[in-house]
Structure formats: structure tokens, C-alpha cells
Amino acid sequence: MWGNWTIVSEFVLVSFSTLSSEIQALLFLLFLAIYLVTLMGNVLIILVTTADSALQNPMYFFLRNLSFLEIGFNLVIVPKMLGTLNKQNTTISFLGCATQMYFFFFFGAAECCLLATMAYDRYVAICDPLRYPVIMDHRACSQLAAASWFSGFPVATVQTTWIFSFPFCGPNRVNHFFCDSPPVIALVCADTSLFELEALTATVLFILFPFLLILGSYVPILSTIFRMPSAEGKRKAFSTCSSHLLVVSLFYSTAILTYFRPRSSTSPESKKLLSLSYTVVTPMLNPIIYSLRNSEVKAALKRVIHRTLGLQKLRLT
């Protein structure tokens, strides 16, 4: 019945239209550069961890999955945002908005669960190293990765279907740079209190609960590291966790601030800035963090480059 009330056929993304044309042009160039760096960095991580035999272990298997997620996350958000900044296409169709929201929820929930899975991997590696090859065998890693990816389907399906079954019979300006749930639900002309309760429950399950699992994993991890007698052993153990901890801190701090702050204390502009952090900046920083802070990745990258240059020389001769 509500579908018959829906007279909105497209939405207008407000994005950063309140800023001057000059600033929007600068933002377009900045975000385009970040977008290209993100794609190249994550593709490089995927290629290096796939091609180098020294990186065929669970930690880099999960890192490869994280890079795939980051690429998908960026493809869903950034190209449309660049279009709005360039003022060539500020509208998005009803179906396009629903599709963007669906994949935003899908990749976001999957990343939350994958980061928790990576924390579990580090927990087993450091707290139970003798049984690590048995616990984290190929089958277990594949199942954990598949479960992380699959976790995005129920939340994306329920949230998106529910939101776009509501009637939209008034304003169609989405005060954001993509179709996120809060600014879209603000345009609904019906009672959304039940949906908002469900959305809060989903947020707790897919953001707060994985975050608490990560914190719970790192309590015994850090306790084990501090009890190690060797300073070199402590350094190696902590180096395998520091990159993951940094990524988790960047991702969850802004996500929690965005979705757990009361509406009255969050202005649309501050929400946009927070959203930029986990949708644009963090996906760019992840490959940088894992490559610059990880000696194994840097060594593998050098080996891949040397092999590639060697093959080119052989072909030329």
C-alpha cells in the first residue's frame, strides 16, 4: 500500500553544495587522488599477498579479503560523490539510492566482522602458537572469511528493504554525499520508530559487538606479549598486531561516533566529516599502514618487483 504513495522517483544528494565552487573543485581533486591511491594500494596488497609464497598464511589471507572489501566500499561511495562535487550529476534514482545503500550496509557490516576475525587470528597466533596451524587451517580460514562476507547480507537486505518500503511523498534532498540510512529516513512521511529501534539493534550487533570482541581479544594478547621474556619476541609479536589495532581504531572510532551519538548533538555537516573518515580516508590508509609498518609485506613487494623486472629483461633479450 505504501508503494502506491511513493511519488519520489529520484533523490538529490546535497553533498558539499554549501561550500564555494572553488573549495568543491579542490575537494574533487583531493578525493580523486585519494580514490586512485586507495584502488592502487589495495590492488597492490592483493597482488603481493597472492603472488609471494612467504605471505601464504592466515594473516595475509584475511588482509587480502580486507582489501577486496575496501575496494568495494570505495566503488560504492566515491565515484558518485565525485560526480556531485563536479556538479555534473547530483541526482540519484530511487533504485540507484537503494542499491548504493544496500552495498554500503553489506560492505560495512562485512568489514566489521572481518576485523573481528582478524583479531581472533592474532589471538590464536600469540596466545596459542603451538596449535595455531591446526586451529587456523585453510578450511577454518575460508569458513571465517565466508562468514564475515555473508554477515553483510542480512543487515543490508533487511535495512534497505524496510527503508524503501516506506512512503516518500515530500522533499527528496538527501543531506549527505551518499544514501546513508539517517538522512534518507528523515525524508519518509510515516512513523519510523519501529525501524529506528531495529536499526539501533543492528548497529549494536554489527558495529559495537564486533568492536567489543576485538577489545576482548586484545586483553589476553597484550597480557601474553608483556609476559614474554625476550625483548625481540615482544617486538615481533606487537608488530603483527599494531597495524590491525591502528586500522581498527581509525575505522571504529568514527563509525561509533557517527551512529551512536544522539541526533540532537550531531549536525549534518559534522556527520559528513565523520563519514568521510571511514568511507574515504580509512580505505586509503589501510594498505599504507599494512605495507609501511610490515617488514614482511615490504620484503615481498621487493621480491615481486625484482621478479617482474627480471622477466621483462628476459623477454627483451
Side-chain angles (χ1 to χ4, degrees), residues 28 78 101 109 124 135 298 309 313:
F28 173 83
V78 181
M101 185 182 292
V124 178
I135 297 174
K298 288 189 285 187
L309 292 176
K313 288 179 180 178

Side-chain angles (χ1 to χ4, degrees), residues 194-261:
L194 186 60
F195 168 80
E196 290 176 18
L197 180 61
E198 184 276 335
L200 178 61
T201 304
T203 303
V204 170
L205 287 175
F206 289 95
I207 295 182
L208 190 59
F209 185 64
F211 180 63
L212 293 176
L213 286 178
I214 292 170
L215 292 181
S217 298
Y218 271 101
V219 171
I221 287 173
L222 294 176
S223 176
T224 302
I225 291 175
F226 289 138
R227 290 201 307 268
M228 289 180 177
S230 167
E232 180 65 17
K234 289 181 180 179
R235 187 193 65 81
K236 287 183 178 179
F238 189 73
S239 67
T240 64
C241 300
S242 58
S243 297
H244 180 253
L245 271 174
L246 189 54
V247 169
V248 166
S249 300
L250 290 170
F251 181 82
Y252 277 102
S253 59
T254 52
I256 289 173
L257 282 173
T258 300
Y259 292 102
F260 282 96
R261 290 171 67 186

Side-chain angles (χ1 to χ4, degrees), residues 24 178 188 236 269 286 290:
Q24 289 189 63
F178 71 99
V188 170
K236 287 183 178 179
E269 300 308 315
N286 285 357
Y290 276 105

Side-chain angles (χ1 to χ4, degrees), residues 113 142-152:
C113 294
S142 299
Q143 289 174 341
L144 286 169
S148 298
W149 280 89
F150 179 77
S151 66

Side-chain angles (χ1 to χ4, degrees), residues 6-70:
T6 301
I7 59 174
V8 173
S9 61
E10 65 179 18
F11 295 96
V12 177
L13 294 172
V14 174
S15 190
F16 301 97
S17 59
T18 55
L19 301 175
S20 66
S21 298
E22 293 78 10
I23 295 178
Q24 289 189 63
L26 289 174
L27 288 177
F28 173 83
L29 294 175
L30 174 63
F31 293 147
L32 177 61
I34 290 175
Y35 178 59
L36 295 176
V37 170
T38 300
L39 291 182
M40 289 188 293
N42 282 289
V43 167
L44 189 61
I45 289 288
I46 292 169
L47 293 176
V48 170
T49 57
T50 303
D52 194 89
S53 58
L55 302 184
Q56 303 306 308
N57 60 53
M59 183 173 74
Y60 296 108
F61 170 75
F62 293 125
L63 176 58
R64 188 159 57 247
N65 277 268
L66 180 63
S67 290
F68 275 115
L69 279 173
E70 297 289 27

Side-chain angles (χ1 to χ4, degrees), residues 25-176:
L26 289 174
L27 288 177
F28 173 83
L29 294 175
L30 174 63
F31 293 147
L32 177 61
I34 290 175
Y35 178 59
L36 295 176
V37 170
T38 300
L39 291 182
M40 289 188 293
N42 282 289
V43 167
L44 189 61
I45 289 288
I46 292 169
L47 293 176
V48 170
T49 57
T50 303
D52 194 89
S53 58
L55 302 184
Q56 303 306 308
N57 60 53
M59 183 173 74
Y60 296 108
F61 170 75
F62 293 125
L63 176 58
R64 188 159 57 247
N65 277 268
L66 180 63
S67 290
F68 275 115
L69 279 173
E70 297 289 27
I71 290 172
F73 207 64
N74 245 230
L75 288 173
V76 168
I77 304 296
V78 181
K80 185 62 183 179
M81 182 182 67
L82 292 175
T84 61
L85 285 170
N86 206 23
K87 296 185 178 179
Q88 291 184 351
N89 189 9
T90 59
T91 62
I92 185 170
S93 68
F94 193 86
L95 179 60
C97 187
T99 303
Q100 187 183 53
M101 185 182 292
Y102 180 90
F103 284 105
F104 168 73
F105 284 140
F106 169 75
F107 287 119
E111 182 162 346
C112 288
C113 294
L114 184 63
L115 289 173
T117 299
M118 294 172 77
Y120 173 71
D121 171 68
R122 292 300 84 206
Y123 165 78
V124 178
I126 293 173
C127 299
D128 198 0
L130 296 179
R131 296 205 307 149
Y132 179 70
V134 177
I135 297 174
M136 300 301 291
D137 60 9
H138 179 73
R139 182 180 178 182
C141 290
S142 299
Q143 289 174 341
L144 286 169
S148 298
W149 280 89
F150 179 77
S151 66
F153 282 110
V155 64
T157 302
V158 172
Q159 295 265 81
T160 307
T161 304
W162 198 340
I163 288 175
F164 286 92
S165 67
F166 283 121
F168 293 88
C169 47
N172 67 339
R173 292 173 61 83
V174 178
N175 195 5
H176 213 324

